[in-house]
Structures are given as C-alpha cells and as structure tokens.
Amino acid sequence: MALGDLMASRLVHSSSPSPSPAAAPSAAPLPNHSHHSHVTGDGLPVANGPEPRNGLEAEEEKPAPVAYLPQVLVLCEQRHEGLDEAAAAAAGPSTSGLVSKWRPKDRMKTGCVALCWIDPFSMAPPKALESIGKTLHAQYERWQPKARYKLQLDPTVEEVKKLCNTCRKYAKSERVLFHYNGHGVPKPTANGEIWVFNKSYTQYIPLPITDLDSWLKTPSIYVFDCSAAGIIVKAFLERLDWGSSSSASSPRDCILLAACEAHQTLPQSAEFPADVFTACLTTPIKMALHWFCKRSLLRCSLDHSLIDQIPGRQNDRKTLLGELNWIFTAVTDTIAWNVLPHDLFQRLFRQDLLVASLFRNFLLAERIMRSANCSPISYPFLPPTHQHHMWDAWDMAAEICLSKLPQLIADPNTEFQPSPFFTEQLTAFEVWLDHGSEDKKPPEQLPIVLQVLLSQSHRFRALVLLGRFLDMGPWAVDLALSVGIFPYVLKLLQTSAMELRQILVFIWTKILSLDKSCQVDLVKDGGHAYFIRFLDSLDAYPEQRAMAAFVLAVIVDGHRRGQETCISAGLIDVCLRHLQPENPHDAQTEPLLLQWLCLCLGKLWEDYPEAQLLGLESNAPEIVIRLLSEPQPEVRASAVFALGNLLDMGSSSVNGGDDDSDDDEKLRAEINVVRSLLQVSSDGSPLVRSEVAIALTRFALGHNKHLKTVAAEYWKPQTNSLLKSLPSLANISNPSNVYSPNSILQGSSGLASHIGPVLRVGSDSGATGRDGRISTSSPIATNSIMHGSPQSDDSSQHSDSGILLRENASNGGLSYTRSRPTDSGIYSQFISIMCAVAKDPYPRIATIGRRALSLIGVEQVVMRHTRFNSGGSAHQGETSASPSNFGMARSSSWFDMHSGNFSMAFRTPPVSPPQHDYLTGLRRVCSMEFRPHLMNSPEGLADPLLSSAAAPSNAELSILPQSIIYNWSCGHFSRPLLTGSDDNEEANSRREERERIALDCISKCQRSSCKMTSQIASWDTRFELGTKAALLMPFSPIVVAADDNEQIRVWNYDDALPVNTFENHKLSDRGLSKLLLINELDESLLLAASSDGNVRIWKNFTQKGGQKLVTAFSSVQGHRAAGRSIVIDWQQQSGYLYASGDMSSILVWDLDKEQLLSTIQSSADSAISALSASQVRSGHFAAGFADASVRIFDVRTPDRLVYMARPHAPRTEKVVGIGFQPGFDPFKIVSASQAGDIQFLDIRRAADPYLTIEAHRGSLTALAVHRHAPVVASGSAKQMIKVFSLEGEQLTIIRYQPSSFMGQRIGSVNCLSFHPYKSLLAAGAGDNALVSIYAEENYK
C-alpha cells in the first residue's frame, strides 16, 4: 500500500472535530455529530439511547428506559494541553541539539594525494614499477577525480619533502593523503621512522615521522602498507599527545591506516598479493571475490582468472561489476553504522568521499588479513568488524554473482539479472517496522535503504518504508539524518516522477519538523519550487498539501532568502487562491490545510515590509478575515497570526502631513485588519485570543506614537471648568463612514462606534458636581457621548446614572479639532479592547494585554479587593468581562450602545498646577481620569502613568510577546501521523467500563426509595463565606466544593480526607456562580463559572497540586451581567454551554469549536435567574426568570422559543431553580421559585402546572432534580432540606445534624446537587460552610 493511500486512510490531525468513536444521538442534526431518532405519536422527535445492554427494561412492573449516555467528548484536543507549555516549548523546530550531530560539521575533500612506492627489487624493471604507480593512481582517482596526484617511485628524502610541501601548497586547507608502500624494506625503527633511499640509491635512510608530519601538516590521512606498521601509528599518537598537551591550538585532524600491528609481519603466502593491504584498499571487489572464491564451494568449478574479467563499470549499477560495488558499499556502510558511534561514523563515512571509500575498504582489509593473522589498525580506532553477520549477506551476493559469471563472459548479450540482495534487505526493514519501536535496537538496514534510493526500480518502496520509519518520532528522523539521508532526498526533489510526490513531501515534513536549518539547503537547491507546485496541485489529498504548506512555512521562517525566493515563485497567490473555495457552496476545506496556508502566509510576511505590502495589494486581508469565523480554533488562530504579520511594526506612514497615496492605502488596509482583529478579541479559545493579543501588540508598536498621543489627549487636564477638563476622545462630528487620510473613522461593525469622552463622577446628594449645565437624563442618541466606567461601577457605592453629554454641549468644550489621524475611533477602540484583554481570564493573555497597554503608556489600575455584604446596588462588584457590547447593558449608565469598555485609569502629569475649583465636586474619580494630585488615593487605586516616550524603543520591541500558534502547530507533524495512538484503545476500554458502572447504578437508583434519610458524610470546608457550590464526582467518592472567594476544595468522603485545594484565579474580583462536570464518562473536567461570566475549565483537579487550566473565556462577552447573577448550564450530548444572567439574551457556546454558536434573545423584560439544559434532547434548555416566568428554547428552531408559562403566578418572586424531570420524557419540567413553591409542568399540555408542591414558606434557595431517579430536592435559607417524589409526596425532611448534641440545625442551604447516577445528595451550607452528603438508609 502506498504511503499516500496510507496517509489518506489513516491520517489523524489535530483539528478533528471529535475524537470519540461513537456518535452522539440527538433529536436533530448537530454540527460534527451524527444522530438517530424516532418520532413519537405527537410528532415530536425523541432521542433514543444506546441499545439495552443489561435487560433493565425486561422487568414488568416498571419498565425503566435504558439510560442515555452521551458520546460527545470536548476540550481534549492537543491544544488543551496548555498554552503555557506551548509558549515554553516555543523554540519550535529546533536548530540545535539533535541537529548539530547529524549534519557534518564541514564537508571535506581530499585535495592532493602523494603516492610513495619503495621497491628494493625494482632496479632492473623500472617499467613494472611505473605501471604499479599508475594503477594505484587510477584506483584513487576513481574516488576523487579532481584531486591532484603526485607519484614518487623509490623517492629520496629530499623528494619526499618536496612532494609533501607541494601537496600541502596545492591542497591549501583540504586533506592530503600520503600513501606509503614499503615492501622488502626494513621495518620502521622503534622511534617510528620509515625508510627511504639516499640520493645515490645505495642505502636506506630513516625518515622521522615528525618530519613527515611537519611537512604535510593537517588535515591529513596516512596509509602505511609495510610490516610492523603499528610502530609508526604508535609514534604518531605520541606526537599527537605531546602536541595537544603542549599547545592549546585545535586538535590535529589526522587519520592513520596501517597494514598490521607493531609486532606483525605482512603475509608471505602465495594466496595473497605482496601488497594485500593496498589491494584491499584500492581494488576491494576483486580482492573480496578472489578471497571468497578460494573459501567457497566454487573454488573447484570456477576459473579464477574470470574474476579479473567481470563485465561492466563500477559506477553503472545495471552491470555486474557496478551492482557488486553497490552491494559492497551498502554492506560496509551498514556494518560501520551499526558498530561505530554516530559521530565517528559521520566523520569517517560521510565527511569526505575518499576517506569514506578507504574506510569501507579498510573493513574488508581487516576481514581478509585477519585470516592471515594480521590485524590492520587505524586511528581513530575501530572495533573489530570482521565477524559481523552482514558479511554473510555479502558472501551470498558474491556467490550468486560468481555463479553467473561464466555465462555472462561467454555470452556478453545475456540479459543481466539483478541480485535479490536489496529486495531482501527492504523486506527485513519492513519486518522491523512492523515490530520495532524507540525502545528496541534501531533497524540495521537503514544505510541500505539509503543506497536503494539510488535505484529507480526500488526507490518508491524504499521511500514509503522510510516514511513509515520517520513517522515513528523525532528519534527516527535523527537516526535517518545521521545515516546520511539528507543529500539523497534533497536530490530527489529534482525528479519529476509523479508517484514520488506524496511520499517526498511526507519525508520532508518529517525532516523539517525536527530540523529547521534544512531551509537553507532547500532554497539553495531550488527545492521550494517542488513544494509550491505540490501545494498548487488539486489532485493531492488536502492533508498532504497541508504538509507542503508546512514545509514552505519552515523554508520562509526567519529566513529572508527563503521569503524572497518563495515570493518571486508566486507563493502568496497560491496560498490565497486555495484559501478561497472554488465555489461558495463547496464543502469546507480540510482545516489542517487552511491552518497551514495561513501560517505559511504569516511566516512569509513576518518582519518583511515588502512582502506585507504585496499581501495588502493582493487583497489578502479580505480573504483571510473570512477565516476568523471558521469552526476550528487552530484555523482561526492561524488566520489571526497571518493578519497580525500584515501589520508593519515599524510603520512610520501614519502621519498627517504625508499625502502619499500608497501609504494611505496601506494605512486603510491596516486599520481594516485591526478592526477585524478587535472583533475576535473575545473568541472562546485562548489559543485564538492569545494570537489576537499578540497581533494587537504589534499594532501598538507600529502606531505607538499616535496611540500614546490619543491616550494622553483623552485625559489631558484642562483648566477653568469641569467640562473643559473632560477629555476629548473621538471626533464625533462626522457620523459618516468616509475614509480620509486625516480622519480614519470606524466602520459600522458590531464593535465599531465613536467612543466619547468618558468620566464617571460618583457623588453624594450634597455634591456640587452635577450642575444645571449637565443633563443627567438625556436619551441615548447615536452621536451622544456616554460615560462612566466599568471600574467605577465595580467599586462605587453610588448607583447614580452617570453623566450624559450631548455633542452640542453649550460651552464648546468638545469642539477640539486635530490635524492628525489620531482622532480615529479605531485608536480609542483599541485602547478599550486592550483594557479588556488585560483582564482576560486566561493569565497569559492578560499579561500580553498589560504589556500592550504599557507600550502606549497606560498602566493598569489594580483595585483593592472588597466584599459587599449588602445587596443594595445593582452595580456592586461588577467586572468588565469583555470588550464588545451587543445590546445595551441593563442599568449601566457608562456604556454607549456599541462601544468597547474602558477599565483602566490614566494619568498624565499636569503641565501647570491643577486648578482646584473644578475638583471640589468630585468625591472620587475612578476610571478614566487624570487625577493630577490624588497620588495616594485611599480607594486602593494604583498610580497609573502615561509614559512620555513616543517611538517604540528597543526595550519595547524586546518585550513583544512571542506568538505560539506556529511553533505549537509544528508539533503536530513531529507526532506519528500514520498510526492511531494506543491511548485511544485504553480510553475506550475505560469508557466502556464506566458506562457499565453508570448503567448499573442508574438501574438501582431508578428502583430505590430515594428517601435521603442517612447522612453518610459531613465536611467542614472552612470556607469563610460559606459553600456556594458543591458537586459529586460520578466514579469516585469525591466531592468538589467552592465558595464565593473562588477557593475550590476537593474532598474524599469515604476516607474523610482532603484531596486538593486551589484558587480558581488570582484576580481581586471574586464571586462564584456554579461548578459543572464536563466529559464525566471520560477524563472529567471541572468547569468553574465565576459570577462575572468568566468560565475556567480545569483538568487533573483531583490530584494534589496537579490542577491545570484547560481553557478559560468570558461566557457573556460584551454583556454585563448586572448584579453578578450569571447562570450557566452544560449539555454534554450537544457540547453546548448556555450562559445568561441579568441581561436580555442567552449565549450558546459550542465548546467543541470553542465558539459562540448563537445569541438567543430571551424576549422577556426581566433577568434570567435559572437555567437548565435537557440531558435528553440536544439543543433544548429551560430558563427561569426573575419575574417568575418560565421559557423553553430550542437552538435549532428558527424562532428559538418553544414554550412560555407563568406557573408561579400570581407570585412574582424569581425562579430559583429549574430542571427537566428525571427519565426520558423531554417535555416535563420542574420549576421552583423563591416564594417556596415547586411547580411541575408538561409543555405539551396547558401552560398551567399539573402538580404544585408548597415546599417552603418563602426563602427557597436551591432546587436539585435527579437525572435518573424519580426525585427532586429543595433547600431553604431557614435551615431545611426537603426531598419529594415526582408525584409530590414528601419523602424526607432534613433539619438537624444527625450526630450533633442538642439537635444542631443544618445551616442555611446555599446549594444542592445530586450524584449523576446514584441516590446521593450533596448540600452546601451558607453560614457554617458544611458540605453534607445524604443517602438512603441501606447505602453501602
């Protein structure tokens, strides 16, 4: 099976919608989930659960339907492993570590070869000596044809010296090879001197090795073919040791090969030639065959002289000699790679062609000469290899070859049959791939796979197997690179073979995921063009084209030459073309491809102004902006990354006097990009918001001067009157959206509007701040300016209505005109949004927001943490959760209909001493004020500063936060792509086990009496403010509780031991709304909803200190839930989170996409006080309102509202709790009001309840409805819990602590929560902070 097909069928990628193998049954199609349903008699679809597993419904008296167990899994993708880890690992594809080892430090060449042949018997036939020299020369020349060869036959000392000096002169810094062949001359002396002739050739003269070394210098390689050659090596090493100890210079690069050890004599047998060592080094194939032939069964049948007539050329693999040479190279390489340390293998077998050939042949010499009791030695030393089992493979190949030889010589036209050697070795490699792993011995065939890449017939199979190997992990890529794969796969990019394209792209993806430095080689060899063509071809799978986009992104990452060549090759146009569907109704493009097209564009534009300009000219922003609403957070984050890199940080074009139309165009495009980024600043995914914050920080750097000016001018102190001191914030006299170079007004997007001067004045009745000139009640008009601020709402004890100024204010204090484009609303909006980003629930993003504000001279105000016990003001303790406001926030005076919110304070030192007359009426000025003299405000405000510097300094550039989406996304390709992980099997079996337990527990609780009479545990949480929320874990005896200070504590109620304690966040603004469990049948996640609407989701929360933030976002983005009354619920089978509060709409979040799915208008005049999602029907949820009305919504119907009733009439107290009744009837709900009545409704019938329980006389505080058992529970502030059946029978009343002396009361009930599958009830008390757990009498 080709790897391309393999990839198509098995490729798994990070943005898959749901890893769960089972689909979610639901009543109507939902995004990403399949469904099955049946229709009941009344025409309404009802979800049916999985097939019955244990025959629960077989019992006749009370057929209980099988429990519905949702199959949807959310928030368990790679991106939820933690942004902070991603940021820490943002080194991306590394450029050090593993990398430096595989890449030869510097390729070397042997530039000059000195051949010295000394033969004492050569006086008579000089021609024989000459022919020996020429043959040796020819043999060496085959490996290094461009080297200079100097031959000295029977040289004198002077000739050797001259030879060495000439060679070093020619070679310069390249390696010189000195081959000394001394046969019949005396052995080297004990000092390591070799013998040469004197001038008159009458006697031998010793030549010290030190002289030889001083003439040849370094780098050099010596071959000594003489008896006792080991003496020379020993002398050499002593010189090297002495040299290295006496001088601090770099170690000498010397390689030595010697024919035998110091005590050995060269073989004298007729079986071997006299120069057997040199013969092995220079004619290995013939030597190997002659030697093998004498030892094999062929020795009698084969004419040995035929070996010297083997047909073919050594470099032609389709001939017998060429193939033998190829097999020999593969075998010796394999032996060396498996025996030598990798760095030594690199140095000897990959750095220099001639050295590599010599060492391959040296392995043969060791094998042959050891059979004659001679041990060739080398420096660096090599371990013995003569008995390696790969020699058997060579012998077999040699035997097959020799058996064909007579026929080939007899008939030269016989067709050449290739050896099965390589096919067999590839099969051995394939077997290893099926069973091998990182922990096992590496596959020894890797060097052979490399050799096979040279052959067209085996190439495809070899590449597919190589791809499978590389996919095993970075360790495998490192092994393949260290064996020398790189130049081979680089050269293959020049082929046009279509069948190799997919696998080559895959291999390069794997290489670059380990080592980014290969980008240089790819650009140098023009390899980028190969990947651009592949990316542009529509016949490849989208996942594979995503790999090509990844390769191109790495090529241009921080590499200007790469950026230039890819731009000139048209990469921008290719990426933009594929980001747009050919036809708008086409199915959505593969998310991984969209993600990498965006990342590739972002890297192409990064820090490259010319490329940014090209991007703006090719309409890139408009194309990429469309992706900001894609369902996959990775795609959205990558689109933000691309857009952020279009912003020129060094932009000097934004100045009023510059009429250059290009700059105007560029500026307009940049403003458009920023506007689109501001709109996604409250995305549900921290990955996306993090990139938005970073991109906006780039904008803050590029437009630094103007943002600082705007910030300073907004809050510049003015003298004489209060109104003159009000800052001028935006040019609001031009309501049109016309762009002009000098006034960039905001567009009419959801966030966009002109932000007016904003000042909150909190005053007592006696304050003089509101005089007749200021209208406090004018209606909100489009061109009005509204003020007040989030922070003043948070902390002011006065709920005044703020100050509203008309644009035609009488004294003209607002008619400030400017000549620069700084009066653009975009700058005001930018500051507003960054203030919200600085309070993001995800800590890393908040840090980036604060950095961006500090760049423009705005420091965040830190509010002192105060708690309000009275419920007097609707504004107490609110926080600003998000920058965008869709619809007027109730009872808030500070918010213009579409504006962003400001939550920071600003101050600039006054130019002249402040005029006190206008300050007399200000009791406290809380948010956007200049406060020239309130340096130590008693209200806990930090002292904010506006810095005076205008241009971005180096320090500012250095604090620019690093984007993480690119490096994080690269990690995807370093993980296995061709195989599913074993973790899935483990997770599936764990899930099956949990489903079995759940079904078992459900069947028991459906038949239980549900009389919660036994208190099985009581836990003093020690919460100062009482227990606000409690939650029972489904499969372990653990209860999780939290208080209004957002302390979360985890306790084991079987062992009565604390398990974990942690803070939901470290911000000063506290208040908890609810705890929920997500993915309860799998690795459960804990959702903690704060009362300001921020949602944080934790994993590993039941491990001491192991809790980890998975995601965090504001669930009521842009809507201020006044009165801190956020209500929230979670629906596992749809993956939806529903959030609302004191506002006119309900927000539906898809947690799989981490995206706001829809905003449903509640169509009520009062706030939502209770919310409950159906556990049976996806998309269904019920809402209880503060005016005692009840509504049911279905997110899938066009009008959303499916039912409305006022079951509690005539009482108007708010609905405290609402829930769908236990079991599988999706039409029955229970609603409890603060007045104390519980109403049971059937939405198919009339709006009137069919059952009413008067549970408490007022002060009902909590309602719990069991998911499966026919039971509901209510709690009251009057220290009482009651449990009722669905028929209205009171089953239990709990007033006292069972173990207490004198009958101690249980405490006012703050929260009630049933176990999901068992008859267990957890109750949290407000006054004594106890969490009690109740069960039936016979609970085990």
Side-chain angles (χ1 to χ4, degrees), residues 786-800:
M786 191 137 205
H787 23 130
S789 83
Q791 214 124 38
S792 57
D793 278 344
D794 292 350
S795 48
S796 169
Q797 297 283 358
H798 316 282
S799 57
D800 57 305

Side-chain angles (χ1 to χ4, degrees), residues 1286-1314:
L1286 297 186
E1287 287 75 42
E1289 180 195 347
Q1290 182 175 304
L1291 301 174
T1292 315
I1293 179 164
I1294 301 166
R1295 287 197 185 93
Y1296 302 101
Q1297 295 288 357
S1299 56
S1300 66
F1301 178 65
M1302 300 285 289
Q1304 184 189 345
R1305 293 296 291 264
I1306 59 170
S1308 62
V1309 180
N1310 259 9
C1311 59
L1312 288 173
S1313 160
F1314 278 112

Side-chain angles (χ1 to χ4, degrees), residues 474-493:
W475 62 273
V477 182
D478 179 47
L479 277 178
L481 287 171
S482 67
V483 85
I485 178 187
F486 186 77
Y488 291 77
V489 288
L490 187 62
K491 193 139 185 71
L492 282 174
L493 292 179

Side-chain angles (χ1 to χ4, degrees), residues 74-102:
V74 296
L75 302 177
C76 52
E77 304 287 350
Q78 199 64 40
R79 65 178 177 271
H80 300 115
E81 290 304 306
L83 283 191
D84 304 319
E85 286 82 344
S94 85
T95 47
S96 59
L98 289 170
V99 175
S100 52
K101 294 181 186 166
W102 74 262

Side-chain angles (χ1 to χ4, degrees), residues 55-67 1003 1006-1007 1223-1224:
L56 296 182
E57 62 293 304
E59 202 163 311
E60 286 167 25
E61 316 91 54
K62 189 176 167 191
V66 142
S1003 71
Q1006 283 173 337
R1007 286 163 182 69
F1224 299 95

Side-chain angles (χ1 to χ4, degrees), residues 1273-1285:
S1274 64
S1276 133
K1278 295 176 181 168
Q1279 302 169 296
M1280 190 185 301
I1281 297 168
K1282 291 184 178 180
V1283 181
F1284 300 96
S1285 74

